[in-house]
Amino acid sequence: MAAVSAFFTAFGLASTAGLNAYIPLLVTGLVARYTDLITLPSPFNALENIWVLLTLAVLLLIEMTVDKIPAVDTLNDVVHTIVRPAAGAILFAGQAGHIGIDPTLAIILGLLAAGSVHATKAAVRPAITATTAGLGNPIVSLIEDVFALIGSLLAILLPVVMVVLLVLVAILLVRWWFGRRARRERPFA
C-alpha cells in the first residue's frame, strides 16, 4: 500500500509541476526538511538544502510575477517548456525508491505528467489572453498557482484524493475537447 501511495504522491507532484515548476519543488523540499512525511533519497535530498529552498523561493516569486503579465506569460511558458517537465521528472524520480520502479521509468513518467499539464496550460493561455484582452491572465495565473499549491499539499497529505481530482479534470478536459470538436463540425445546430 505504501508503494501505491508513493506512486500517487509522485504523480500528483509531477502533475502540479506542469502548472508551476517551483511550487511543488519548494513544498517537497520544505516538507522533507521539516517533517517526516517525505523522505528524499540522495541526490534528491538536495531539495532540503536551505540554499536550494531559498533559490526556489526566489525563482517562484519571479515566475509568479512574470506569469501574470499578458504576452510575457506566453514567453514564460516557452521558457518553462523545459523547466516544468524537468521539475516533474525530478519530483517523480525522487519517489522512485519508495514506489519500487526503475528511476529511468520514473523520470519518463514525471516528464509525461508535467509535460502534458504544461502543454495544456500553454495551449489554453493564449486563448485567454485573446478573449479577455489580457485582463484574465493574472486571474488565471493566480488560480493556477493556488491549484499547484493545493495539489502539491494534497499529493503529499492525501495522495488518493489528488489522483481522483486529476482523473476528474482529465475527464472534463476530454469531454470539453470532443464537445468543442462536435460544435465545430455542426456550427448552426
Side-chain angles (χ1 to χ4, degrees), residues 23-189:
I23 289 174
L25 287 170
L26 185 59
V27 167
T28 300
L30 288 169
V31 170
R33 181 178 174 95
Y34 295 109
T35 73
D36 292 331
L37 295 173
I38 290 183
T39 304
L40 295 172
S42 183
F44 304 103
N45 62 349
L47 285 174
E48 300 174 42
N49 181 289
I50 191 68
W51 293 107
V52 172
L53 292 170
L54 289 171
T55 302
L56 288 171
V58 168
L59 290 171
L60 175 60
L61 290 173
I62 292 168
E63 201 274 340
M64 287 177 70
T65 303
V66 170
D67 198 44
K68 290 167 183 54
I69 303 169
V72 178
D73 66 336
T74 303
L75 178 60
N76 184 52
D77 281 340
V78 169
V79 169
H80 281 88
T81 297
I82 295 169
V83 175
R84 290 181 185 137
I90 290 166
L91 290 161
F92 211 113
Q95 295 295 312
H98 303 296
I99 299 169
I101 64 172
D102 181 66
T104 304
L105 177 60
I107 288 170
I108 292 168
L109 291 172
L111 285 168
L112 291 173
S116 60
V117 172
H118 169 72
T120 303
K121 173 187 173 167
V124 170
R125 194 56 92 78
I128 293 168
T129 301
T131 58
T132 66
L135 297 175
N137 293 41
I139 296 165
V140 171
S141 177
L142 181 61
I143 291 168
E144 291 167 353
D145 294 340
V146 169
F147 276 27
L149 177 61
I150 292 171
S152 297
L153 292 171
L154 279 175
I156 294 167
L157 300 172
L158 300 167
V160 173
V161 173
M162 179 59 184
V163 169
V164 168
L165 289 174
L166 287 172
V167 169
L168 289 174
V169 168
I171 290 169
L172 290 173
L173 285 173
V174 168
R175 288 185 67 189
W176 171 79
W177 176 258
F178 284 112
R180 184 174 157 236
R181 287 185 61 196
R183 284 187 298 278
R184 262 193 284 152
E185 291 172 3
R186 49 182 171 85
F188 299 110

